[in-house]
Amino acid sequence: SAHASIAELFVTDLCDESGAEQECEAALQSAFKSSEGSAEAHYGAANLRFIQGRKDEAKKHLGRSFEIIKKQTAEIPHIGGNSRGEGGYEHTYNFRLRVTELCIEMGEFEAASELIDRLLEEDNR
């Protein structure tokens, strides 16, 4: 979602700007209002909470993002794609890779391993 992308900008490229954290929070709130089931919004919240040192909240949001991605990728046939986007996936390869990286940073190795396996499987098609 656009709101989740804006939030990500405030924790990366615009992190040194005055009010960046508040802008990020506002963008995440808008993202959740648009879609509570957004993997991108949950990833953004996980990333921000992790940066803030609020690790329990970060793990909750990261787990939700992972579950949304996992459910979505389980629905994709192994041969061919569909109209949902890159390779038939709703979420881009790069987004799923960023979720994997955050899983590793946060010590969520089982989730990271599962995502990596799915990404490798996709690469091998």
Side-chain angles (χ1 to χ4, degrees), residues 35-95:
S35 176
E36 177 61 33
S38 166
E40 291 89 348
H42 283 285
Y43 166 80
N47 194 24
L48 178 62
R49 299 295 175 253
F50 184 66
I51 291 166
Q52 293 170 328
R54 297 161 60 181
K55 296 194 178 9
D56 289 341
E57 290 178 64
K59 283 188 178 191
K60 177 185 135 200
H61 285 291
L62 184 61
R64 184 68 182 119
S65 184
F66 168 74
E67 289 301 323
I68 293 165
I69 293 169
K70 182 178 170 181
K71 179 180 182 230
Q72 178 244 324
T73 56
E75 296 171 354
I76 302 296
H78 290 282
I79 299 174
N82 60 30
S83 62
R84 291 185 355 173
E86 178 185 308
Y89 293 97
E90 182 176 329
H91 304 100
T92 67
Y93 188 95
N94 284 336
F95 171 71

Side-chain angles (χ1 to χ4, degrees), residues 3 26-38 41:
H3 296 290
L28 287 171
Q29 286 177 1
S30 294
F32 282 120
K33 282 182 187 174
S34 296
S35 176
E36 177 61 33
S38 166

